[in-house]
Amino acid sequence: MDKILEAVVMSSYPNNVKQGLVRRVIEAAKQPMDSEQCWSMLELSTKLYLTGDTKYKREIGKEVLEVYGHYHPEEFEEFFNVRFLLSLLQEGYGPLGKRSHYVLDYIQLGLQFVLESPSANSIFSLLRIEVLRKVCERPSPKQCAKISKLLTQHPQCIPMGKHQLLFCQQLIRCIGQFQCISEGEEEIMEFLEQVNKVSGLLQRIWRTQTSAILPSLKELFTIISSTEEQEAPSNALASVVQFVPLELMDGVIRNLTNDDSITDVQMMMAIGRMIDWVSWPLGKNIDKWIIALLKGLAAVKKFSILIEVTLSKIEKVFSKLLYPIVREGALSVLQYMLLSFQHSHEAFHLLLPHIPRLVASLKKEDSNSATSSLEQLAELIHCMFFRFSGFPDLYEPVLEAIKALPIPNEDRIKHLLGQNAWTSQKNELACFYPRLASKSETGKIGLINLGNTCYMNSIIQSLFMASDFRHSVLNLTEGNSQPLMTKLQWLFAFLEHSQRPAISPETFLSASWPPWFTPGAQQDCSEYLKYLLDRLHEEEKTGKRIYQKLKESSLTSQSVEHHYLNKTLVEKMFGGKMMTKIRCLKCLNVSSREEAFTDLSLAFPPSDRNEHGNTSILPVEEIGPQFIEPREDAGQLTGSPGIQRKAPMASDHAAPSVSVETLGYQEQGEAANPIRGNDVGVDAAKDPLSAFREQARAPKDSRSVPDLINYFLSPERLTAENKYHCEKCASLQDAEKVAELTEGPHYLILTLLRFSFDPRTMKRKKILDNVSIPVVLKLPILVAPEETEEVCRHGKDGAVPGSGFMTLVYDLCSVVVHSGISSESGHYYCYSRECTDTAPHGQPWDGVPKPASDKQLDFEIQWYLFNDTRVSFSSFESVSNVTSFFPKDTAYVLFYRQRLDHQSCLLHEALAEAGRLHGESSLHKDLMEAISKDNILFLQEQEKEARNRAAYISALPKSPLWWRDLDRDKDDDSSSGGCSPAAGGGGSGSFHGLVF
């Protein structure tokens, strides 16, 4: 019968004809037959099953074996013996070089017919040894899957005792070497199924023998933490972790992170490879294990490992959000990595270029998974905006991409940040400031944040960019007996000449620290600036002067020269004067008092007050970015505006409102201003405000800096409980209080009083109103008649004989921005630019200003954005629009520099003579040596860090280029199928890229 069957199978008949003939042979086999005939049929069917070159032949062999195993059990048991099986397992079947791949399938098929036979235990013992040997030989995924299928169906064959533990460890090593060669989707799906079978066997063993779990995990960690030069272990290892009971997680992580025998490099290698597992599509709980290990490392303060791994892996994790099949786990890992990385913006900023494209892809997908992920991603991004404010130029494209998505409230943001921080002790991360390999492309140097010291950094950078002040400080002589000024000189010198990308202002911070400031807490930058300037002023004023004797000028009278010699550097640079006048409304007596200032604190008008119709009588003008031409009709005005710094309260009693554009002249019959004297009358034909109404104004629902200055200088009525005690009347009387600027500072500092006390909530609140900032500001200054005549003779812009006022033009040079809603929190950063005069250094001053057309377009003057260690190029457009994009980022302190004119030229010449203004600063020997030594030290540090980092990074697992995922999404919009970035999936190529 075996000859007949073989002839039928080998014939050229069609398969349907063969099938009929085979069916007859099989039916005949169900009848009793002698042992020799059975043996022959079993040999033939074994040959067909193991070496058949077609699926049809193997199916026939299988069918015959099943019939004989069922109807002739004794003969089958005799044939399916231990010696035969040992030969199959050790030597194989078939000709050399073409050994059958179906031996394990054959054994699994035959075992079902010998389970009750006397030889069953011997067969089981043999298989326990042989499957362990097979696994130690590192079989292919397909063969491993066959072993797993065999042992799952016949658990009696699973190795026992110590051999079982060894078997689990070797099986994990096999999985670590699994690789999918093909890129076809069917082959990949087959590979995933094979991996699942193998890991499923481990799960079965662990369920019955929990003692095997921890040794298995130890072997797994040994594999993924190996630093030897070899091929990276397969991501298929992720399939093993998913079956580890979660209740063991805490103990496992605790043991790992506290094991002193595990080096940092090994730990970094292990966590890096685990993070790569987020791309494994069938893994469950993988994200939980990754996050648990990251938290465990944070608990033992392994911050350097966390930083390196996060920065090297976060972009790859982010790219996996494109794929629905792994999106949930990838998003969980990404959320923890970003929310925990709070000491630096580096990790978040790595993602900024890719966020808009990912958001667009998720919107295009339009699935429930994509919608949910978009909302979670938007929440995460807003948390990062909150934590790392001060980068408007970088954040604008991202903000535009997510503008339609929900915005979390501040309590939610603070909860997420507080819940995920590596540590609550900020000083533990102080040494891990953002790593900067080289100087900013701007050539400028940043300042390290020493723990909520951005308020100081912003002020220091603004003062440094005030070039006249900087040059004066840098040119101070050695031994000037001004310790704080000397420390500022050193800080400025390092900012100017250091090779470091950022320097630490720790020494200056300790020297300039206001005693009432709380260490580590956010402070008011305006308060710090006032304290710093006052300290510098008082230090010099007490006799420790720094200036050399000024050069005599043919245009400088002895009284004026004496006036400048007696001024401190702070007074020369930032000092101005204003006259305060209070007029009793009963006896009309006027008392006046002149006082100095270094800044003007500008309150916001009450909400029910018309900003553009206030009672200021000063022609404060705002000029947008343009060529600035001399104004021949500007600067004639009289009056006495108020000096009282008004709080933004609705109860403020102001004088009758008069439009600022029409002030300065009156029609016949109008009442005269009660405080205006006849000796300073105004010629209506030369009204200095006639062109002001033509200037660009802020929108009606917004305010501008001129609005706030006009409100600051507008008259204030002193009535009710605020009455004035008139000396002439010897009683409290209603009065009017006004102020006039009598001397304009070289650098005009304006502080916008955004923080006020809310009596309803009993808390300080921030006024978030957008304030338009003019790049050029014209400010009228009250001068004596004889000074006005002298200025007019020299062609001074904006001054008219007999007017009483002259116009000073100021250029915007710095804007300190506060990001946040409270003065006790938030973040400070600043925009700055170098403001210099058009007149070349060294040209004699002839009293005539240079033509305004010599000045560059204001848009062409380079702006810089200083944000602690980061310095970048920026623009006035960014300055103007920052609050529009980021409502909590508002201008707070403004620095304006006075244009070169007759009065300020005296100061310029004095400073130029003292220190070669705008030229190369002349630093004393000790300072130059200190900078030179530090630059050499920095280079040595860079070399050492480069070596250490190269060794550290080389330990990180190599993985496919993460950006291919995003590039693939961009280039292939027609993909479809369950695993692509789009809703329903992708082609085989994209699927392969996902898994491997």
Side-chain angles (χ1 to χ4, degrees):
M1 188 177 292
D2 58 303
K3 299 297 184 182
I4 296 173
L5 178 61
E6 185 174 13
V8 169
V9 171
M10 299 300 176
S11 69
S12 59
Y13 293 120
N15 284 346
N16 58 340
V17 175
K18 290 182 182 181
Q19 190 62 35
L21 296 174
V22 169
R23 182 58 50 196
R24 291 183 182 181
V25 172
I26 291 176
E27 287 298 325
K30 295 179 182 180
Q31 304 301 319
M33 62 178 63
D34 59 60
S35 177
E36 184 178 353
Q37 184 64 40
C38 285
W39 195 275
S40 299
M41 287 296 290
L42 287 170
E43 285 184 337
L44 176 60
S45 58
T46 297
K47 179 181 178 182
L48 290 173
Y49 187 87
L50 291 176
T51 62
D53 54 2
T54 65
K55 184 178 180 181
Y56 175 73
K57 292 178 181 179
R58 292 194 297 274
E59 286 294 330
I60 292 177
K62 177 183 177 183
E63 195 171 355
V64 173
L65 282 169
E66 289 175 338
V67 168
Y68 277 85
H70 185 74
Y71 289 98
H72 305 282
E74 293 181 2
E75 287 79 5
F76 189 90
E77 290 171 13
E78 184 182 355
F79 180 81
F80 201 77
N81 59 66
V82 171
R83 182 176 296 179
F84 175 60
L85 294 181
L86 181 62
S87 174
L88 285 178
L89 290 168
Q90 291 188 354
E91 300 175 12
Y93 189 92
L96 290 175
K98 292 185 180 181
R99 295 300 190 185
S100 174
H101 300 294
Y102 301 101
V103 169
L104 292 171
D105 305 89
Y106 176 81
I107 292 175
Q108 181 180 343
L109 174 65
L111 275 178
Q112 61 183 312
F113 302 110
V114 298
L115 294 177
E116 304 299 330
S117 69
S119 63
N121 288 332
S122 299
I123 293 175
F124 294 155
S125 297
L126 170 68
L127 290 176
R128 291 188 196 110
I129 297 172
E130 287 301 308
V131 293
L132 177 57
R133 182 184 63 79
K134 282 282 187 183
V135 168
C136 290
E137 292 176 354
R138 305 287 180 267
S140 66
K142 189 173 184 179
Q143 291 301 307
C144 255
K146 289 181 178 182
I147 292 174
S148 300
K149 184 179 179 181
L150 169 65
L151 299 185
T152 301
Q153 187 171 346
H154 302 289
Q156 307 95 319
C157 302
I158 296 175
M160 302 173 67
K162 293 182 179 180
H163 287 170
Q164 186 179 84
L165 178 57
L166 179 60
F167 177 77
C168 290
Q169 293 173 329
Q170 293 300 317
L171 198 60
I172 289 173
R173 287 204 168 268
C174 283
I175 297 174
Q177 294 188 359
F178 285 178
Q179 298 296 334
C180 183
I181 308 301
S182 173
E183 294 190 3
E185 188 164 338
E186 289 185 5
E187 290 82 358
I188 292 174
M189 293 301 298
E190 182 182 2
F191 173 74
L192 294 175
E193 185 179 355
Q194 292 164 357
V195 173
N196 232 21
K197 286 180 180 178
V198 178
S199 58
L201 173 62
L202 280 171
Q203 180 191 24
R204 182 185 182 93
I205 296 174
W206 289 348
R207 280 178 179 173
T208 57
Q209 295 292 332
T210 55
S211 60
I213 297 178
L214 293 181
S216 298
L217 290 181
K218 186 175 181 179
E219 188 70 20
L220 172 64
F221 186 82
T222 301
I223 296 171
I224 62 176
S225 64
S226 174
T227 58
E228 297 176 5
E229 288 294 331
Q230 57 184 7
E231 190 173 358
S234 171
N235 283 350
L237 288 170
S239 64
V240 175
V241 178
Q242 66 180 328
F243 295 123
V244 180
L246 293 180
E247 55 266 25
L248 297 179
M249 180 183 291
D250 290 342
V252 170
I253 298 300
R254 194 181 309 111
N255 290 338
L256 280 178
T257 54
N258 289 281
D259 189 342
D260 294 335
S261 66
I262 300 174
T263 66
D264 285 357
V265 173
Q266 288 175 321
M267 183 62 75
M268 187 171 64
M269 179 69 77
I271 185 62
R273 285 169 171 165
M274 285 182 67
I275 290 173
D276 287 343
W277 293 350
V278 297
S279 62
W280 186 256
L282 300 179
K284 296 178 181 178
N285 301 326
I286 302 302
D287 56 322
K288 294 182 176 64
W289 281 94
I290 294 172
I291 293 171
L293 184 52
L294 292 173
K295 287 182 176 179
L297 292 171
V300 295
K301 306 188 188 315
K302 296 286 188 178
F303 301 129
S304 58
I305 296 177
L306 291 168
I307 290 171
E308 292 293 343
V309 169
T310 300
L311 294 179
S312 63
K313 293 296 181 181
I314 196 167
E315 290 172 286
K316 182 175 182 181
V317 173
F318 180 81
S319 71
K320 299 309 171 187
L321 298 183
L322 287 167
Y323 304 97
I325 197 169
V326 297
R327 182 176 295 151
E328 183 179 357
L331 185 56
S332 295
V333 175
L334 178 71
Q335 285 174 324
Y336 179 76
M337 293 176 82
L338 278 181
L339 290 172
S340 63
F341 202 93
Q342 295 185 27
H343 72 288
S344 161
H345 56 258
E346 290 176 280
F348 178 51
H349 284 193
L350 287 173
L351 306 181
L352 293 179
H354 318 297
I355 291 176
R357 195 191 307 172
L358 175 69
V359 170
S361 178
L362 293 178
K363 288 180 178 178
K364 181 181 177 182
E365 181 179 317
D366 192 27
S367 67
N368 291 336
S369 168
T371 301
S372 174
S373 297
L374 273 174
E375 292 178 356
Q376 294 179 67
L377 183 62
E379 180 179 70
L380 185 59
I381 291 170
H382 282 291
C383 286
M384 295 298 99
F385 284 168
F386 180 87
R387 180 65 187 86
F388 305 115
S389 56
F391 302 92
D393 295 348
L394 292 178
Y395 292 169
E396 282 181 17
V398 176
L399 188 65
E400 180 67 21
I402 65 170
K403 64 182 180 181
L405 297 170
I407 301 175
N409 60 44
E410 189 166 332
D411 289 340
R412 170 66 175 168
I413 291 174
K414 289 181 177 178
H415 170 73
L416 289 172
L417 292 172
Q419 188 181 46
N420 293 280
W422 285 338
T423 174
S424 59
Q425 304 298 321
K426 295 182 179 179
N427 59 337
E428 292 181 341
L429 288 166
C431 60
F432 298 106
Y433 60 86
R435 300 167 309 180
L436 301 169
S438 59
K439 262 188 178 180
S440 160
E441 61 181 351
T442 64
K444 306 295 182 183
I445 297 175
L447 290 170
I448 296 170
N449 191 316
L450 302 173
N452 280 331
T453 57
C454 53
Y455 67 91
M456 179 190 71
N457 291 349
S458 298
I459 293 300
I460 294 301
Q461 295 286 19
S462 297
L463 292 174
F464 178 79
M465 292 296 285
S467 53
D468 301 336
F469 178 66
R470 177 178 76 243
H471 282 279
S472 298
V473 171
L474 289 175
N475 284 294
L476 292 178
T477 57
E478 191 175 5
N480 53 66
S481 300
Q482 298 179 75
L484 184 58
M485 186 67 83
T486 299
K487 287 182 171 60
L488 183 62
Q489 180 189 41
W490 279 63
L491 182 57
F492 277 7
F494 272 83
L495 284 174
E496 181 116 315
H497 299 288
S498 177
Q499 294 301 315
R500 295 181 182 273
I503 60 175
S504 171
E506 185 174 3
T507 302
F508 188 76
L509 174 65
S510 60
S512 63
W513 185 283
W516 60 89
F517 277 15
T518 303
Q522 185 61 278
Q523 306 294 343
D524 188 326
C525 76
S526 174
E527 186 178 4
Y528 174 77
L529 174 60
K530 289 181 175 70
Y531 176 79
L532 175 61
L533 294 181
D534 185 61
R535 279 276 308 276
L536 294 172
H537 168 68
E538 291 297 328
E539 192 175 75
E540 183 178 354
K541 186 179 178 183
T542 55
K544 302 169 184 178
R545 300 185 180 276
I546 60 170
Y547 281 115
Q548 301 174 5
K549 188 176 181 181
L550 298 179
K551 179 182 179 181
E552 292 185 0
S553 172
S554 58
L555 298 176
T556 308
S557 64
Q558 292 298 318
S559 60
V560 172
E561 183 176 356
H562 181 72
H563 175 67
Y564 277 107
L565 281 169
N566 283 306
K567 280 191 172 186
T568 66
L569 179 59
V570 170
E571 286 178 310
K572 292 173 183 177
M573 290 294 173
F574 307 103
K577 291 182 180 180
M578 64 171 61
M579 181 73 70
T580 303
K581 296 181 181 181
I582 301 179
R583 182 178 185 274
C584 176
L585 296 181
K586 181 178 181 181
C587 68
L588 303 183
N589 180 59
V590 177
S591 63
S592 61
R593 176 173 57 91
E594 189 175 54
E595 60 180 330
F597 67 88
T598 54
D599 80 305
L600 297 180
S601 298
L602 308 179
F604 283 70
S607 57
D608 59 349
R609 181 182 177 114
N610 182 358
E611 301 92 330
H612 303 316
N614 60 41
T615 60
S616 170
I617 56 176
L618 286 183
V620 181
E621 295 189 18
E622 167 184 353
I623 305 176
Q626 56 187 298
F627 285 112
I628 310 301
E629 298 293 345
R631 289 270 306 281
E632 296 182 357
D633 62 341
Q636 316 185 44
L637 244 246
T638 64
S640 303
I643 187 177
Q644 177 67 32
R645 299 185 180 188
K646 305 170 181 63
M649 303 292 290
S651 60
D652 181 28
H653 296 285
S657 179
V658 183
S659 172
V660 67
E661 288 88 354
T662 60
L663 284 172
Y665 67 98
Q666 296 174 316
E667 299 291 342
Q668 275 191 327
E670 285 187 347
N673 188 313
I675 204 167
R676 182 177 299 154
N678 294 332
D679 58 333
V680 286
V682 177
D683 182 355
K686 295 179 180 179
D687 169 30
L689 299 174
S690 59
F692 186 52
R693 60 174 60 93
E694 304 298 331
Q695 297 294 332
R697 301 303 301 267
K700 290 184 178 181
D701 60 347
S702 180
R703 291 186 170 97
S704 67
V705 169
D707 290 336
L708 302 189
I709 297 177
N710 285 338
Y711 177 60
F712 175 86
L713 297 174
S714 61
E716 180 185 12
R717 286 291 182 91
L718 305 178
T719 60
E721 70 278 0
N722 201 28
K723 284 187 177 183
Y724 165 69
H725 185 274
C726 177
E727 294 182 358
K728 188 173 182 180
C729 297
S731 61
L732 293 174
Q733 298 292 338
D734 289 348
E736 189 173 59
K737 182 179 181 181
V738 293
E740 295 160 334
L741 300 177
T742 57
E743 183 178 321
H746 184 62
Y747 283 99
L748 173 66
I749 300 176
L750 303 176
T751 301
L752 311 188
L753 297 179
R754 292 189 173 276
F755 303 109
S756 61
F757 182 77
D758 188 345
R760 293 174 298 176
T761 61
M762 301 299 291
K763 294 180 180 179
R764 279 166 59 85
K765 66 177 183 179
K766 180 179 177 181
I767 301 171
L768 296 173
D769 295 6
N770 194 2
V771 177
S772 63
I773 304 171
V775 70
V776 179
L777 188 69
K778 285 194 173 184
L779 193 68
I781 304 296
L782 179 67
V783 294
E786 60 272 15
E787 291 183 75
T788 306
E789 296 296 334
E790 181 183 357
V791 171
C792 289
R793 284 196 302 271
H794 288 90
K796 170 67 186 145
D797 173 31
V800 181
S803 71
F805 282 92
M806 58 180 287
T807 299
L808 295 183
V809 180
Y810 284 89
D811 295 297
L812 181 67
C813 54
S814 287
V815 178
V816 178
V817 176
H818 177 264
S819 176
I821 60 172
S822 168
S823 60
E824 290 81 22
S825 63
H827 180 64
Y828 288 99
Y829 57 95
C830 74
Y831 294 92
S832 290
R833 64 172 180 168
E834 294 270 7
C835 283
T836 56
D837 295 299
T838 55
H841 171 62
Q843 287 189 4
W845 172 258
D846 57 5
V848 180
K850 296 299 173 184
S853 57
D854 289 344
K855 184 174 177 63
Q856 284 181 294
L857 271 174
D858 289 299
F859 272 144
E860 296 175 357
I861 301 175
Q862 183 61 60
W863 283 86
Y864 302 93
L865 175 57
F866 294 89
N867 188 0
D868 290 334
T869 56
R870 183 181 182 272
V871 187
S872 58
F873 290 116
S874 191
S875 64
F876 182 68
E877 182 181 8
S878 179
V879 180
S880 303
N881 295 333
V882 62
T883 307
S884 301
F885 281 97
F886 304 93
K888 294 179 183 177
D889 291 27
T890 53
Y892 184 39
V893 178
L894 313 178
F895 286 72
Y896 281 89
R897 180 185 181 276
Q898 188 184 142
R899 287 269 183 92
L900 187 64
D901 58 23
H902 173 72
Q903 183 183 15
S904 62
C905 183
L906 301 176
L907 175 61
H908 276 251
E909 290 190 354
L911 296 177
E913 180 66 21
R916 291 183 297 164
L917 183 61
H918 302 306
E920 185 68 26
S921 302
S922 177
L923 304 180
H924 57 78
K925 181 179 178 182
D926 289 348
L927 183 49
M928 288 302 298
E929 287 181 355
I931 295 172
S932 178
K933 288 180 180 178
D934 185 70
N935 286 338
I936 294 174
L937 177 62
F938 172 65
L939 293 176
Q940 294 171 345
E941 291 172 356
Q942 288 289 90
E943 292 174 359
K944 182 179 179 181
E945 183 180 351
R947 289 194 297 270
N948 294 341
R949 184 167 172 76
Y952 223 46
I953 294 301
S954 65
L956 286 171
K958 304 298 186 294
S959 56
L961 300 178
W962 58 266
W963 58 80
R964 288 178 179 169
D965 295 318
L966 290 168
D967 289 341
R968 183 181 299 113
D969 175 61
K970 178 181 67 173
D971 298 334
D972 184 12
D973 293 333
S974 60
S975 60
S976 61
C979 301
S980 82
S988 59
S990 64
F991 189 85
H992 187 269
L994 160 67
V995 184
F996 313 107

